[in-house]
Amino acid sequence: MDEAIGRYPLEHKRSAALPLLHFWQEHFGFISDEGVKWIAAKLDLQPINILELVTFYPMFRQQSAGKTHIRVCRTLSCAMAGSYRVMENLRETIGLEPKIDNHRMHNLLSVNADGNYSIEFVECLASCGTAPVCMIGETLHENVDPNSVVDLISNPQSAIRNPQSPHPLEHRLIFKNIGCADWKTDIDTYIDNGGYEQLKKAVTMSRVDIVNELKTSGLRGRGGAGFPCGVKWSFIKPDEKKPIYLICNADESEPGTFKDRYIIHEDPHQLLEGILISCFALNARTAYIYIRGEFPEGAKILERAIEEARKHNFLGKNVLDSGFDVEVYIHRGAGAYICGEETGLIESLEGKRAYPRIKPPYFPAVLGLYMCPTIVNNVETLCHVKHIIAMGGAKYAQLGRPNNTGTRIVCVSGDVQGPGYFEIEVGAVTMGQLIYEMAGGLKPGRMLKAVIPGGSSAKVLRADERFKIKERQSDGSTIEREMSIDEIPMDFDSLTAAGSMAGSGGVIVLDDSRDMVWTLNNINEFYAHESCGQCTPCREGALWMKKITERMLNGGGVVEDPRTLKTIGDNIAGRTICAFGEACAWPTQSFVEKFPDEFASRAAKPVPPPLPPEYISDELTERETIPTTALAHDPGWEKAGSAGTI
Ligand SMILES: Cc1cc2nc3c(=O)[nH]c(=O)nc-3n(C[C@H](O)[C@H](O)[C@H](O)COP(=O)(O)O)c2cc1C
Ligand code: SF4
Ligand code: FES
């Protein structure tokens, strides 16, 4: 425990709260009142400071789990592949009653009678390409057959790995070693294959030169927003007096995205080398890798990699005799999608609830971790740094397209025959090539209905839409072309021009068997569960949207519902502290706009008057006819009249 506390500055030992909670839970099975008080005393905090973490982070429990704890992913790609059936069959096999929560949140812990098993639904485990997945204890199980869960329970060691050899349309830099049978994660294998040569080169370069190479490369962040990396780095003042921090964002939790986990598991030294070069360039003497709690194996792999690198003097004191000292620490999250948002992540790293901060003034590069300048970059982004040093910024910029340079990993899941990860030159592959050539096309007899191109937050694209896309030429001029979904180049600018975004590179494919109300409801459940709750429009709106789509799905849709859904979305986007607001509003806004007939067909009942509190949505679902005039006993109705909406 003291070693964990020592990873943070003395005056910020509160940061050790999450690590200590993990220790406690691993040892005692759950966080008791005694645990809360003990950890608070250890960190000179009040018990409430610890209790608020236990209730915020989904991975912490206040009651015992079973001897074997199972987490089943219920998010979109897994749900499409049958994860609800996996849950049902597991429950039956283990002998568990489904637990119903009045608030209809899904992740209640159920423990069976003999205490041997417990089970809960969780959100995307960053393995959507091998859906459906679940975790048994700390082990991830991929491609679970819903009808063979008995085998899963009786042989829990048999986690399947899915090595994937490169497709001819791929251009592998970052994923060069991923999925290779003869590749090992130890440092000797890495060094034998040219590893850490770029760190050796970087420490002989000036910091300004490295930042300039980054700027020349045109590298845009791979975490979601696509912000130019070199520009972000140049916000750090060369004569900065405060400590500078680098944070590697390894929270990978955007549904549909599953690339960072592979890098961490299969090529940890590539990431570490990227981090160390970046630390040198930024003059950051401490880096934290914030890794999501659901990657326990990844955290161990990285810890091991750090110790190996230390033995070779790649980190620690006086790195490679350059006079530069640097430490890299692993910090595990504990569930909660919002920890991926960079300021929420920083709050979490400071040992608090992951409440995003308002920007401005809290831009991390200015007021970040411990109010010091901080650069937050995604795992994949940091790996690119190593290759930019190897190739030089100008050569790297020749990969891809103008303003969309380099390679990126695109993750394909959903209704395709060969889901998986593909590293492409940005924009060199079209959506059609990605789906039909690389990901094996649709299932026999099926037609493409829609694509969510950049993680579940991205606006959905309809298969039969026409898109007007401006293509930037190398001489700086632009040409506008009208194109089908199949022709859209997989790059940042084209997907933005198509009205969506490249986001985190998670492409979810939907075929014509999919019910769009069901699909949106699954997405809405994710956001309703994951809102941090600070902003009223997001906290309430995300839940309302989910309740409405769920009611529509259950036969209680009223004619006003599509408009109400849109209005709620419109009133969230742009009115919140962080971009989660847009992330939760965009799916609803775009699904309702692009599939009006499907939503209308689920919204046939007449609009009731403003609902009295006791008139819950179940009644809307169960009753064939809905009264459209106010009942006399409800004072709210008299005030509102009968023209109101739900
Ligand atoms: C709701 C939300 C969730 C996010 N989740 C992640 C995530 O899981 N991983 C990630 O790298 N970035 C995530 N981001 C983006 C980060 O805030 C940040 O922009 C990114 O880590 C910066 O790194 P990059 O410039 O290398 O992309 C998220 C953003 C939002 C608004
Ligand atoms: S938008 Fe949502 S997730 Fe972001 S701070 Fe507000 S409530 Fe939290
Ligand atoms: S791992 Fe289940 S949806 Fe991503």
Side-chain angles (χ1 to χ4, degrees):
M1 293 237 178
D2 289 333
E3 194 270 331
I5 297 172
R7 296 178 166 204
Y8 309 94
L10 246 187
E11 65 279 25
H12 298 293
K13 63 178 179 178
R14 181 179 188 158
S15 281
L18 257 57
L20 296 200
L21 282 164
H22 275 300
F23 280 137
W24 190 282
Q25 185 158 295
E26 273 155 29
H27 199 75
F28 297 105
F30 70 106
I31 313 289
S32 58
D33 290 351
E34 191 199 348
V36 168
K37 285 189 204 138
W38 191 90
I39 294 170
K42 187 90 184 154
L43 299 178
D44 300 331
L45 296 169
Q46 295 300 319
I48 187 65
N49 303 132
I50 300 300
L51 187 62
E52 69 174 7
L53 305 181
V54 179
T55 54
F56 183 87
Y57 291 95
M59 284 181 73
F60 294 133
R61 301 187 283 268
Q62 289 177 286
Q63 65 180 99
S64 260
K67 280 187 201 125
T68 301
H69 183 53
I70 305 174
R71 297 180 172 96
V72 180
C73 174
R74 57 123 249 120
T75 317
L76 187 56
S77 303
C78 283
M80 285 164 68
S83 66
Y84 277 74
R85 270 189 298 130
V86 172
M87 175 57 110
E88 238 169 69
N89 293 348
L90 274 171
R91 271 197 181 128
E92 221 167 86
T93 309
I94 295 165
L96 271 170
E97 289 297 314
K99 213 168 183 180
I100 305 295
D101 171 19
N102 287 338
H103 299 291
R104 301 221 169 137
M105 277 305 159
H106 56 266
N107 70 332
L108 280 187
L109 185 74
S110 307
V111 188
N112 73 346
D114 57 15
N116 278 336
Y117 290 101
S118 54
I119 192 160
E120 66 179 334
F121 259 142
V122 292
E123 296 296 355
C124 180
L125 289 168
S127 191
C128 330
T130 51
V133 300
C134 68
M135 284 178 79
I136 302 192
E138 297 205 334
T139 311
L140 182 75
H141 291 257
E142 308 176 73
N143 295 316
V144 174
D145 178 354
N147 302 318
S148 310
V149 294
V150 179
D151 302 345
L152 191 68
I153 297 290
S154 53
N155 184 19
Q157 293 311 315
S158 66
I160 304 161
R161 291 269 179 251
N162 237 22
Q164 229 187 282
S165 47
H167 186 276
L169 285 173
E170 285 193 67
H171 183 123
R172 288 207 179 178
L173 282 181
I174 310 294
F175 264 38
K176 192 162 71 70
N177 303 318
I178 308 288
C180 294
D182 53 353
W183 178 254
K184 298 200 189 74
T185 58
D186 63 281
I187 199 164
D188 294 333
T189 306
Y190 188 68
I191 291 173
D192 288 347
N193 286 276
Y196 287 107
E197 288 304 315
Q198 311 319 322
L199 176 64
K200 289 180 192 160
K201 181 173 166 190
V203 295
T204 65
M205 292 169 71
S206 80
R207 300 200 149 98
V208 177
D209 282 349
I210 301 178
V211 176
N212 283 340
E213 288 298 334
L214 251 286
K215 280 188 180 164
T216 309
S217 75
L219 174 68
R220 293 173 65 170
R222 305 299 196 234
F227 193 81
C229 186
V231 176
K232 190 193 275 190
W233 285 18
S234 62
F235 294 150
I236 302 288
K237 292 183 281 184
D239 56 349
E240 181 59 59
K241 298 285 178 300
K242 288 186 189 172
I244 298 160
Y245 291 98
L246 174 74
I247 299 176
C248 168
N249 190 341
D251 195 59
E252 186 159 68
S253 38
E254 175 72 26
T257 317
F258 48 93
K259 60 194 177 65
D260 299 343
R261 187 172 59 82
Y262 285 103
I263 296 172
I264 293 165
H265 277 227
E266 297 187 30
D267 206 354
H269 283 287
Q270 178 182 206
L271 173 60
L272 206 48
E273 187 174 7
I275 290 174
L276 292 167
I277 297 169
S278 307
C279 282
F280 179 79
L282 296 162
N283 201 17
R285 277 144 206 272
T286 310
Y288 291 102
I289 304 178
Y290 187 104
I291 183 167
R292 62 181 294 193
E294 297 89 339
F295 291 174
E297 195 188 334
K300 283 181 200 147
I301 291 170
L302 286 170
E303 294 277 10
R304 217 167 32 238
I306 289 172
E307 285 324 305
E308 286 176 333
R310 186 187 305 287
K311 284 190 190 129
H312 284 75
N313 192 220
F314 296 140
L315 64 81
K317 293 258 177 257
N318 191 18
V319 169
L320 297 168
D321 296 327
S322 64
F324 181 61
D325 302 340
V326 63
E327 281 301 335
V328 181
Y329 299 112
I330 306 300
H331 183 97
R332 282 185 69 200
Y337 165 68
I338 198 58
C339 295
E341 195 282 337
E342 55 188 4
T343 58
L345 183 158
I346 289 171
E347 285 281 303
S348 178
L349 186 40
E350 290 185 0
K352 302 174 208 154
R353 293 177 175 212
Y355 282 163
R357 297 172 177 171
I358 292 182
K359 295 189 268 187
Y362 297 109
F363 288 112
V366 185
L367 293 170
L369 184 63
Y370 313 130
M371 292 299 138
C372 292
T374 304
I375 293 295
V376 183
N377 273 133
N378 170 258
V379 167
E380 185 192 340
T381 312
L382 290 166
C383 290
H384 282 279
V385 172
K386 166 199 153 105
H387 298 279
I388 290 166
I389 296 299
M391 299 168 73
K395 186 136 186 262
Y396 179 92
Q398 285 168 10
L399 296 173
R401 315 178 111 201
N403 203 39
N404 298 268
T405 58
T407 64
R408 84 168 300 177
I409 297 129
V410 185
C411 315
V412 186
S413 64
D415 293 323
V416 285
Q417 300 208 57
Y421 47 72
F422 305 98
E423 185 170 2
I424 56 167
E425 267 190 62
V426 185
V429 166
T430 62
M431 181 80 82
Q433 285 174 308
L434 183 70
I435 295 174
Y436 297 103
E437 293 179 39
M438 303 176 89
L442 304 172
K443 309 217 168 96
R446 288 285 160 212
M447 306 262 286
L448 185 67
K449 182 166 190 177
V451 179
I452 303 170
S456 71
S457 310
K459 289 188 177 177
V460 67
L461 303 175
R462 246 184 105 111
D464 56 3
E465 274 182 85
R466 299 292 296 172
F467 304 92
K468 284 203 172 109
I469 292 181
K470 285 199 176 86
E471 289 182 342
R472 198 190 292 231
Q473 308 299 300
S474 40
D475 63 1
S477 63
T478 52
I479 300 175
E480 188 176 278
R481 277 210 301 135
E482 195 181 295
M483 55 181 76
S484 70
I485 194 167
D486 290 348
E487 294 170 293
I488 302 175
M490 293 302 295
D491 65 50
F492 293 96
D493 293 348
S494 301
L495 286 162
T496 304
S500 187
M501 64 173 179
S504 53
V507 177
I508 307 170
V509 178
L510 303 164
D511 72 22
D512 57 352
S513 67
R514 296 296 164 190
D515 172 340
M516 295 317 244
V517 179
W518 178 90
T519 307
L520 180 62
N521 185 55
N522 181 286
I523 295 174
N524 282 349
E525 179 153 353
F526 173 81
Y527 291 103
H529 186 255
E530 297 300 323
S531 167
C532 85
Q534 276 191 104
C535 318
T536 308
C538 171
R539 180 188 62 242
E540 302 301 320
L543 192 59
W544 289 356
M545 292 190 297
K546 181 241 159 188
K547 284 187 170 176
I548 293 174
T549 47
E550 186 177 272
R551 180 165 51 68
M552 291 173 85
L553 208 53
N554 293 335
V558 300
V559 286
E560 196 64 15
D561 280 340
R563 205 172 69 114
T564 310
L565 281 171
K566 184 181 176 315
T567 314
I568 299 170
D570 292 350
N571 280 292
I572 301 173
R575 289 176 162 83
T576 56
I577 292 173
C578 85
F580 183 106
E582 282 74 28
C584 77
W586 283 342
T588 292
Q589 288 172 318
S590 60
F591 271 72
V592 172
E593 184 200 324
K594 298 200 178 176
F595 298 93
D597 297 348
E598 263 181 73
F599 280 82
S601 71
R602 299 284 190 134
K605 288 186 173 169
V607 180
L611 294 171
E614 71 276 16
Y615 199 81
I616 53 164
S617 60
D618 285 348
E619 287 173 62
L620 270 178
T621 307
E622 283 152 19
R623 290 176 63 147
E624 270 308 308
T625 54
I626 311 273
T628 51
T629 51
L631 294 176
H633 71 268
D634 187 78
W637 289 14
E638 278 162 27
K639 281 190 207 129
S642 60
T645 55
I646 300 172

